[in-house]
Amino acid sequence: MYEFAVTPAVTQLRRPGVIITEVSPGSLAEELELAPSDRIVRVNGRSVRDYLDFRFQTAGETELTFQVKKPDGQTIDIEFDRDESEDFGLMFEQIVPRQCANECLFCFCKGNPEDARPSLFVRDEDIRLSFLYGNYTTLSSITEDEMNRIVEQRLSPQYVSVHATDLKTRAYLLGVDEKRADIAEKLQRLLDNDIELHAQVVLCPEINDGAILEKTLRDLAAHYPKVVSTAVVPVALTRYNTDDRLTRVTPEFCQRTIKEVEKLQKEFRKALGTTFAFLGDEIYIKGGVEIPSRRHYGNYPQIEDGVGMVRSFLKKFEALVRTGSGSDRDLLPLRTYDVRTHAQAILPVKSKSPVATAPGSDSGTILTGEMFAPILREQISQFNVSHGTRFHVLAVPNTYFGGDVSVAGLLTGQDYRNIADQIEGDFVIIPKHTIKSDEPILLDGMSFDELKSIFDVPVYDLDTDGLMEFLRLAS
Ligand code: SF4
């Protein structure tokens, strides 16, 4: 689930240019007297709509003219030269996402409580965010300008929610007419222009499973390697999803799907040399089936969609358990924060690792979602045995969204509050991504400070790599 600022969208969408938010001290931009709140409107006479345009218009250019609107309304032109690789030292406003025009049966917005924060109701469908962050779009309302932009600016790869190549099924799932749902020509045009695609299927029992899923995967695999991979993730319904056209995912459904897709995966590996169609981790966990091997996932092309995360975690954790607390610490494959699926993607700014505030205790509680808890608990038990530590894993039920929601990433402040009296040891760890990346609040609006005040012990917010580093230092 991605969150975006809602309010600025109304004003910023109408203004040309991209707003500077930060100028690095001593940088070229400072020398040019650029400042936060300035808006760069044109580069070498070409208009700039956002950060991506700025990057595209300036790439490789050494002689530049910026047209800049100052906050007082004044417009100035700045002419300058730079070395080809010289960085400007500029940070820009976030891209305000374009909204989708679909009415998907399973849309996450329909699964929110009514009083959820407005940002949780933002339905983004934006090819720029697809390129930058791996957000999926349906391409069903993409404009000619956007299609041209993908090709011209090489916004590749794109992440496309296909759901089904059977048109009737796709239209039904998206809640739009068949004309709008039909993206065959658009996909072909992107492929003809060498734009790489990663596809996604949100699997809804009795709608796009079975023969429809097989057709979808075969149709997509026919375009490999331009269609690089396909993720098949199960629909997750909260207690607010009451649409009776939707059926909940059961363990039996997961087992059946694994069997069906395994046959295709074997075929694809033989014919294409890649698994190509990857099932979401939840399908294996819910089906009680072992997570596939490291080789199954290749270079983890869909890890941004949560596919292969468990195997990736287990591999790293194995190394952690194997590693003693002495001289071989350096063997740990840590500091691989934010692996993204393509080189051009921007890494989110990370706070420092917890090293400086390591707990000074070998006893504490690690909180996670109900789905991942058994896996983490097993690993932590092994770690405790090999390192003599006393870490505990506690599964936190999701009471805010309810229903099938059991992933760690959707835990809220109230969920943590509900288990506050079950904490053991001297600290508590929560999954970092339950806190908004640009603001210290949780999904239900509780501030991180308020959350901390609920517990009697320090609270650390850590991602997977941060957790491993923390354990290593605490042991
Ligand atoms: S594309 Fe569908 S699931 Fe995504 S935001 Fe739009 S309606 Fe919701």
Side-chain angles (χ1 to χ4, degrees), residues 136-359:
Y136 277 92
T137 72
T138 64
L139 295 184
S140 53
S141 56
I142 190 171
T143 63
E144 184 60 20
D145 273 357
E146 287 170 318
M147 285 292 285
N148 287 337
R149 186 173 185 183
I150 293 174
V151 173
E152 188 197 358
Q153 298 189 348
R154 310 305 304 159
L155 303 185
S156 172
Q158 286 288 311
Y159 291 76
V160 183
S161 280
V162 173
H163 303 320
T165 50
D166 175 76
L167 190 52
K168 270 196 172 26
T169 307
R170 186 169 202 263
Y172 180 69
L173 280 166
L174 262 52
V176 299
D177 60 31
E178 288 183 26
K179 188 165 175 261
R180 185 178 274 261
D182 187 357
I183 54 168
E185 271 182 29
K186 294 170 187 168
L187 287 178
Q188 195 55 54
R189 189 166 147 199
L190 294 177
L191 297 174
D192 288 347
N193 282 284
D194 294 327
I195 301 296
E196 284 189 347
L197 303 176
H198 290 272
Q200 175 182 248
V201 170
V202 173
L203 193 60
C204 299
E206 296 169 34
I207 300 178
N208 61 344
D209 56 340
I212 302 252
L213 177 63
E214 178 171 344
K215 172 177 159 43
T216 302
L217 297 179
R218 285 189 189 285
D219 289 347
L220 290 167
H223 294 289
Y224 179 83
K226 288 186 181 173
V227 176
V228 184
S229 69
T230 301
V232 180
V233 296
V235 66
L237 302 177
T238 73
R239 65 188 149 107
Y240 303 99
N241 291 110
T242 51
D243 191 325
D244 55 18
R245 291 171 296 174
L246 289 167
T247 307
R248 291 187 187 273
V249 168
T250 62
E252 297 70 36
F253 172 80
C254 293
Q255 289 157 7
R256 194 171 64 243
T257 302
I258 291 167
K259 269 199 192 133
E260 289 168 1
V261 174
E262 259 174 5
K263 277 190 212 143
L264 293 172
Q265 289 170 333
K266 271 189 197 141
E267 256 185 70
F268 295 150
R269 273 196 293 270
K270 210 166 159 198
L272 312 174
T274 166
T275 304
F276 182 76
F278 300 91
L279 293 173
D281 293 4
E282 303 100 301
I283 296 186
Y284 295 101
I285 296 174
K286 200 160 202 167
V289 175
E290 198 181 336
I291 298 279
S293 69
R294 161 77 189 80
R295 282 180 63 190
H296 173 94
Y297 292 104
N299 62 352
Y300 293 100
Q302 293 273 0
I303 199 149
E304 292 292 314
D305 206 17
V307 177
M309 283 188 94
V310 172
R311 176 53 63 202
S312 160
F313 168 81
L314 290 174
K315 279 312 278 181
K316 289 180 190 171
F317 213 93
E318 257 174 42
L320 182 68
V321 171
R322 270 203 319 267
T323 307
S325 54
S327 58
D328 50 352
R329 280 181 167 185
D330 291 345
L331 296 176
L332 286 172
L334 294 175
R335 301 202 175 281
T336 50
Y337 296 105
D338 292 303
V339 175
R340 304 198 76 84
T341 47
H342 56 110
Q344 301 93 325
I346 295 171
L347 300 185
V349 179
K350 300 299 289 186
S351 59
K352 283 197 170 156
S353 81
V355 177
T357 53

Side-chain angles (χ1 to χ4, degrees), residues 100 102-104 106-108 123-125 138:
C100 90
N102 303 325
E103 271 303 328
C104 295
F106 50 80
C107 181
F108 59 85
R123 300 175 174 207
D124 73 293
E125 163 104 330
T138 64

